[in-house]
Each structure stands twice: as C-alpha cells, then as structure tokens.
Amino acid sequence: MAMLEHVSRRVARRRSGMFRSRFRTTVLVAVAAVGVAASPGVAQARQAEAASAAAGRSIVAGLGHFVYDEVNTVGHRIWFGVYAVAAVDGSARGQFLYRHEQADGTLVAQGRADVTCLKVTENVAVFTAIVPEGQGAAKNHGFYVKIIDGGRQPDQIVDAQATNGTEPPPTGCLDPETDLPPGSQSRPRYPILAGGYAVHAAEQSRAGAEVSRAERRDRP
C-alpha cells in the first residue's frame, strides 16, 4: 500500500508538471496568434514594440511568472500572459491568459480574458481584462493589472481582481495601486521571477525607444 501511494504521488506530480508545461505552451501560442510570441527573454515582444512604435500605438506584451505572498495565498504561483495594443483613439484590443496554482501545484484557475482597456505611460502599463461570461469558475470576473517594465532589472507586477459580483466588472482601466474602492486592501508589487514584459508608450520618442532597447539588450 505504501508503495502504491508513493507511485501515485509521483504520477500526480508528473501529470501536474506536464499540464503546466502544456499551459505555458498554450499561452505562448495564443499570444503569438494575436501578434507576438512571448518568451522569457521577450525578444519577440521587442519586435512587436518596434512595429507599434512605427504605427503610433501603445503596447504591452509578454509572459511572466510570480508568487503571491499574502494571507491565504502564500506561495501561490501565478502566470500572466498578455498581448495588448492601444490605438491613437484610445481603443484597446488584446488577449490575456492566466494560470493560478496553489503552493503544492494544485490548479486554482486558468483561462483567458479580453483586454478592454490599456493605458501606457513610459515604462508602466495599466490594463483591464474581462473573462467572457460563461468561462471560468467565477462570475463577473475581471483583472486589473499594472506592469512595470524594469529594463535590466526584474519587471514588477500588481494585480487586483473582481469576482462573483452582482454586476459586470468595470471595463475601464483601474490602477490596482491607486484606483481601488475606498477601504480596499492595498495591493503589493511582486517581482517577475521568470519571463518578462515589454512596455511601449505611443508618445515615446524614437530616441527614447532606442535608449530603452539598448538598456534591455543584456536582459536574460
């Protein structure tokens, strides 16, 4: 019996690892399908950044992994993938993919959401992504995310979520550090431990873009 339990645990861990690997591949394929293949070095995102700069658009793209350190979610592992573009008229489009695991690898949630708003200022992107109704375990599920492109330093991320409300979640951009309702718990910044993001503001000058790319040339 002990041997069977040991084998069962090994198989479960192996399946969990295979599933996480398949999800990461799915994220990469899905992000690539809307314009850029996010990778740990965000090299492809750099190409998309250059293309958007030429078109006068703001962009955030990439795939990052971080770990929660909060009450009830200590050690929970998170993956966020995104490719989103904001046009000159302020409209935004894009896809957001997420995976949330407990510290032991147990799946909590995963899926995709539609980006409904994106605002980019210098190296900071704030965006909103809404999970289509009928998908996922939660109703009226929205993500409010802030990404700080760290250049040579690790990127940082802040996120807040709206779930199971009686009304659809707001679709406009909300900075999870400053725009949450009064009385809401402040959201911490987390360093990106693997992967990374490219952030480009439409108003960024060509010279500034060149400096930014040079600063990130040595990024792993």
Side-chain angles (χ1 to χ4, degrees):
M1 180 64 71
M3 177 63 72
L4 288 176
E5 290 177 351
H6 175 70
V7 172
S8 177
R9 285 196 298 270
R10 290 187 60 186
V11 170
R13 286 196 298 269
R14 184 176 302 167
R15 286 178 176 172
S16 176
M18 291 172 63
F19 189 81
R20 289 197 296 274
S21 177
R22 286 198 298 271
F23 174 78
R24 295 187 188 106
T25 301
T26 300
V27 169
L28 294 176
V29 171
V31 174
V34 291
V36 59
S39 69
V42 293
Q44 290 86 352
R46 298 264 75 80
Q47 297 173 4
E49 176 183 327
S52 282
R57 298 176 295 180
S58 295
I59 181 175
V60 57
L63 170 64
H65 165 57
F66 61 103
V67 177
Y68 279 154
D69 186 20
E70 303 167 57
V71 176
N72 299 324
T73 58
V74 173
H76 284 213
R77 303 185 294 220
I78 311 298
W79 287 264
F80 283 171
V82 63
Y83 177 82
V85 174
V88 177
D89 63 4
S91 61
R93 61 180 176 84
Q95 292 288 305
F96 174 74
L97 296 103
Y98 61 93
R99 181 178 176 86
H100 178 173
E101 295 178 357
Q102 294 180 5
D104 64 359
T106 300
L107 179 65
V108 176
Q110 74 170 21
R112 72 166 189 88
D114 299 319
V115 175
T116 58
C117 180
L118 169 64
K119 292 183 179 180
V120 178
T121 304
E122 296 182 347
N123 66 323
V124 179
V126 173
F127 66 89
T128 295
I130 305 299
V131 178
E133 197 61 34
Q135 296 190 22
K139 291 184 59 179
N140 295 324
H141 193 179
F143 290 84
Y144 305 91
V145 183
K146 182 176 188 177
I147 290 174
I148 301 94
D149 186 338
R152 291 187 178 183
Q153 302 302 314
D155 296 338
Q156 294 180 295
I157 194 165
V158 188
D159 80 295
Q161 298 181 41
T163 57
N164 294 320
T166 57
E167 300 290 336
T171 58
C173 286
L174 297 175
D175 187 323
E177 289 187 303
T178 62
D179 296 337
L180 297 183
S184 299
Q185 184 177 4
S186 61
R187 302 297 302 152
R189 287 189 181 190
Y190 289 109
I192 296 301
L193 304 177
Y197 301 94
V199 174
H200 175 83
E203 68 274 12
Q204 182 175 322
S205 68
R206 181 177 297 275
E210 291 301 325
V211 170
S212 177
R213 281 192 286 273
E215 287 177 348
R216 287 188 285 259
R217 191 169 296 154
D218 299 328
R219 187 173 182 167

